[in-house]
Amino acid sequence: AHSPLHCLIEGTRGYGDIVRFRLGPLSVFLLNHPAYVQHVFQDNSRNYRKGIGYAQMKPLLGNGLLVSEGELWLHQRRMIQPNFHRQYIVRLTPLMTETIDTLLARWESNAAAGEPLDVAAEMARLTRALICRVLFGSEALDESNELARALDLAAQLSDNFTMRLTRNPLALLGALGFIPSRTPAPVKQAIRELDDVIYQAIAERRAGRVTGDLLSALIHLRDEKSGESMSDKQVRDEAVTIFLAGNETAAIALTWLWYLLAQNPEAEQRLDAELVQVLDGRTPAVEDLARLEYTRRVVHETMRLYPPAWMIVRTSVADDEIDGWHIPGGSLVILSPYLTHRHTDFWKDPEAFEPARFAEPVENSRSKNSRRVAERPHYAYFPFGGGARQCMGNHLGLMEAQLTTAMVAQRYRLQLLNDRVIQPEAMITLRPRGGMPMRLERK
């Protein structure tokens, strides 16, 4: 049987930018043109709600931003978003570089012994440490404490759900709402254990414990109109949502980045040259981020080729029309960054790794790259989704990726074992099948 990703690729190859097919009793539309993506995310966004699978995550995520809808979602988004503005997150730079340094120190023994390591697992460990530190402060770095164990449990629950949904047809039908779904008793117990620890952390901060982490910020937020704060339940839901949303996707993007650099030595050499010129061996600071232009382009080009959220699903509320096609209410609509990022009308040699595609356009420039960036439709590239529900942590994720790339590449060259070709595994996210075993070479 073909993978879901392969089926979608074949659909666009055979039928073009809008493909209709059946999934049980449902009509499903695959939309691959940037104008169609803009229609769903922006022009008629009120008609398209979160699609498959989100309801089944509610026992874990509650009414966090990822799954909430309507007035609740809008209210929460307006309260929380200021904490993710670039001006706020740049203050996290020292915290991030300290956490990345801890990872690099752990790699020393592998590098000295020439022992390979699974870079996918290492990036997952790093991004989890980063998001835990941002959310819960230094207490989250002790892997033996209750909080760390509880968050590990949350990650396992999320992972088990995605495995079930992707590989089990009955779970898929349940996610579509055609068969009733129940939360298994062991999962309920695991969620209770998670809740006990998080509610304790919330209570400590409400009692006056000063931590300066994002959990404290969530607790002290006030609605501009009513002056009300979030309930403990809502703080819990948003904290778990931020943890899960900021964990796996960042790790996957960084894993594919090292894979692409290992396959493209010219790009790696250009990255090295920039790091020497800008940093000259020191740890990057926030003021260096704007000067690390090629590093940023490497991150963007990685997310073009291997967007972690490779497929985004919405459900149409009422009938609609897109480019002459009738979209009945209740249909599933699939948008795939993986496919649109390879659309030959907007990307030359789309399978090639070319960070120069993301060079900033220069006024009056004769550069083909600059012109292409300026002329490319906005939704030809949407690794963080789009419209009002665009991922709120996009600036945090990009800063995390840029800092990690700079610090790791300053110290190590990561090489694939036996030039192994890694295949993407299209689950809820686009993981490397079998991990990413690589060998470290000290620079």
Side-chain angles (χ1 to χ4, degrees):
H2 291 309
S3 71
L5 181 57
H6 180 82
C7 291
L8 297 189
I9 291 170
E10 290 302 308
T12 55
R13 284 177 180 168
Y15 299 99
D17 286 338
I18 185 162
V19 183
R20 179 181 180 272
F21 55 95
R22 304 290 297 183
L23 185 61
L26 272 183
S27 289
V28 183
F29 293 85
L30 170 62
L31 309 179
N32 192 40
H33 194 283
Y36 305 161
V37 177
Q38 178 174 319
H39 180 88
V40 172
F41 277 151
Q42 190 172 314
D43 299 343
N44 196 21
S45 60
R46 290 179 178 272
N47 192 52
Y48 294 92
R49 296 199 160 212
K50 288 274 189 174
I52 183 172
Y54 292 101
Q56 279 61 39
M57 292 290 279
K58 271 187 171 287
L60 177 59
L61 299 180
N63 285 314
L65 280 171
L66 189 64
V67 295
S68 60
E69 293 280 4
E71 288 299 317
L72 174 62
W73 170 81
L74 185 60
H75 176 264
Q76 290 300 111
R77 176 90 181 198
R78 285 174 175 167
M79 283 186 72
I80 297 171
Q81 188 157 8
N83 288 283
F84 287 89
H85 282 166
R86 185 170 177 80
Q87 295 91 323
Y88 175 84
I89 64 172
V90 293
R91 287 182 269 166
L92 301 174
T93 304
L95 179 152
M96 289 187 164
T97 54
E98 179 186 326
T99 308
I100 297 165
D101 256 332
T102 304
L103 171 86
L104 293 175
R106 282 184 46 248
W107 283 7
E108 289 290 348
S109 58
N110 288 80
E115 294 177 356
L117 48 73
D118 181 0
V119 170
E122 292 297 309
M123 291 299 102
R125 187 170 183 167
L126 171 65
T127 57
R128 178 179 147 179
L130 285 168
I131 196 64
C132 283
R133 185 83 185 272
V134 168
L135 258 175
F136 300 103
S138 57
E139 67 182 287
L141 295 184
D142 180 359
E143 295 185 3
S144 66
N145 69 16
E146 281 190 343
L147 177 60
R149 290 198 299 272
L151 293 173
D152 185 54
L153 194 61
Q156 290 177 33
L157 289 172
S158 177
D159 200 49
N160 289 340
F161 166 78
T162 62
M163 296 276 284
R164 249 189 0 260
L165 183 62
T166 308
R167 295 177 176 174
N168 182 351
L170 291 178
L172 182 61
L173 287 173
L176 291 169
F178 293 112
I179 59 174
S181 60
R182 296 178 180 176
T183 305
V187 173
K188 289 182 179 178
Q189 177 60 31
I191 293 172
R192 281 195 291 270
E193 292 174 16
L194 169 69
D195 288 352
D196 287 345
V197 176
I198 293 185
Y199 282 128
Q200 180 182 345
I202 292 171
E204 290 172 355
R205 286 157 178 77
R206 287 206 190 276
R209 182 182 174 195
V210 179
T211 58
D213 51 38
L214 187 54
L215 185 65
S216 290
L218 292 174
I219 288 168
H220 292 102
L221 286 177
R222 293 290 182 273
D223 182 86
E224 289 185 1
K225 294 181 180 179
S226 67
E228 294 180 356
S229 62
M230 280 189 256
S231 67
D232 284 2
K233 172 67 166 61
Q234 196 63 46
V235 171
R236 174 263 179 221
D237 292 349
E238 301 300 355
V240 174
T241 297
I242 291 167
F243 166 70
L244 292 174
N247 185 15
E248 183 176 7
T249 53
I252 289 172
L254 283 165
T255 301
W256 287 116
L257 184 146
W258 302 120
Y259 175 71
L260 289 166
L261 284 177
Q263 290 189 316
N264 294 273
E266 289 185 8
E268 185 180 33
Q269 289 167 13
R270 186 166 175 185
L271 174 66
D272 288 346
E274 177 177 84
L275 296 177
V276 170
Q277 180 183 355
V278 175
L279 300 176
D280 194 24
R282 61 182 174 79
T283 299
V286 65
E287 54 268 22
D288 296 312
L289 292 175
R291 298 170 60 206
L292 292 171
E293 295 179 3
Y294 192 75
T295 309
R296 174 182 51 77
R297 294 174 207 165
V298 166
V299 172
H300 279 299
E301 177 69 345
T302 297
M303 297 188 75
R304 182 187 71 82
L305 284 168
Y306 293 105
W310 68 278
M311 181 177 74
I312 299 167
V313 182
R314 294 288 184 263
T315 301
S316 59
V317 177
D319 289 4
D320 194 13
E321 184 175 302
I322 297 178
D323 200 15
W325 283 76
H326 176 64
I327 313 292
S331 300
L332 284 187
V333 172
I334 296 175
L335 312 172
S336 174
Y338 184 93
L339 295 181
T340 306
H341 292 179
R342 287 167 164 77
H343 199 304
T344 53
D345 286 355
F346 309 103
W347 303 96
K348 183 180 178 182
D349 299 325
E351 295 293 339
F353 179 67
E354 294 182 6
R357 301 179 202 272
F358 290 93
E360 292 292 344
V362 179
E363 192 174 354
N364 300 323
S365 172
R366 296 182 179 181
S367 162
K368 291 181 179 179
N369 278 326
S370 290
R371 291 205 306 273
R372 281 205 299 270
V373 170
E375 295 167 2
R376 196 162 58 223
H378 177 71
Y379 284 105
Y381 179 72
F382 58 106
F384 295 102
R389 296 202 75 135
Q390 177 173 288
C391 175
M392 195 166 52
N394 59 341
H395 293 305
L396 179 64
L398 288 171
M399 186 175 82
E400 176 183 342
Q402 202 175 0
L403 289 171
T404 303
T405 302
M407 292 180 67
V408 174
Q410 274 184 304
R411 201 174 302 185
Y412 294 110
R413 177 170 292 106
L414 279 64
Q415 298 175 317
L416 286 163
L417 299 183
N418 304 319
D419 295 322
R420 179 182 167 190
V421 175
I422 306 291
Q423 296 295 332
E425 185 174 23
M427 299 176 64
I428 300 298
T429 50
L430 197 65
R431 302 178 179 182
R433 188 185 301 275
M436 190 72 70
M438 302 186 87
R439 183 172 284 109
L440 299 172
E441 179 185 319
R442 195 80 160 82
K443 288 184 180 176

